[in-house]
Amino acid sequence: MKRLLIVLGTVFLGIGIVAGTAAWAHWKAAEPAVLKAVVDGTASTPDGELPLAKLEMSIYPQSSAAIPGPALNDTFANNAAASQGWPFYWPSSSIELPANSLVQVTIHQYDSGGTIYNPWLAKPQGIVEGSYTINGKPEVGVEPSNVAHTFTLHMYPEGNQPYLFVSVPVPAQSANAPTDANGYPTKPIDVTFTFRTGAPGTYVWNCEFPCGTNYVSFGGPMSQRGYMSGTVTVV
Ligand SMILES: [Cu+2]
């Protein structure tokens, strides 16, 4: 009986330490400032005239003197990001969009890439038809072997929110693209796309290209809010 109590005590202590560490890590990893899509006129749609909001983001292969990267209140993540060169979305992974609007996103892409596991994600999904362009040219997708990252916006596994799913691939910079003093390609690849928001809701987004570390390259930046995942609030 005494031994059983000791075993149980040890198990509960272990659970307590794990839960405590998770709560601590969550509290430390405070979200960056919210990046808001700004309404800039209207656009005509099959549903009539809707507000047109615009949002710009960049993707960098690693931080530099010019672009410090996500400043998380998390020394472990910051150190790993610096030593392993984590890529990140910039200037924020916390996004706010207006409800019942068209949202035009432009991503300035500076990172290299490779082959994505699921070729379905090398094509844009859930966007206004024909709105996907690369450097201003209409495209239907990216070669699955030439993807750098994706911006994949989706729902929590709950049924009480307006449906919203958007996934867009961004192509890789070529390995021999000329770079600047910060080590970034001198010219970004600009990807634009437009999608429609519905009623207010809270969503998450993440990258679906294996750009991280550890198991199937889905660790590190891939599992860290602020780098390759974040939140989307439709208000
Ligand atoms: Cu990525």
Side-chain angles (χ1 to χ4, degrees), residues 112-133:
S112 58
T115 301
I116 195 161
Y117 296 135
N118 183 345
W120 186 74
L121 294 164
K123 292 210 183 322
Q125 314 287 346
I127 64 169
V128 172
E129 207 174 316
S131 70
Y132 178 76
T133 70

Side-chain angles (χ1 to χ4, degrees), residues 23-111:
W24 171 252
H26 184 81
W27 177 75
K28 293 272 278 181
E31 276 281 275
V34 173
L35 177 64
K36 293 182 185 179
V38 179
V39 174
D40 180 19
T42 59
S44 52
T45 77
D47 302 329
E49 205 76 356
L50 289 181
L52 175 66
K54 292 184 179 169
L55 182 74
E56 280 191 61
M57 293 186 282
S58 298
I59 302 172
Y60 289 100
Q62 70 277 319
S63 59
S64 71
I67 310 289
L72 302 179
N73 189 14
D74 183 333
T75 310
F76 179 80
N78 291 344
N79 288 346
S83 66
Q84 297 170 352
W86 288 4
F88 56 88
Y89 274 78
W90 184 254
S92 177
S93 64
S94 299
I95 296 166
E96 188 182 296
L97 308 174
N100 301 308
S101 302
L102 283 182
V103 179
Q104 185 189 73
V105 179
T106 302
I107 298 176
H108 308 291
Q109 204 299 100
Y110 294 90
D111 200 4

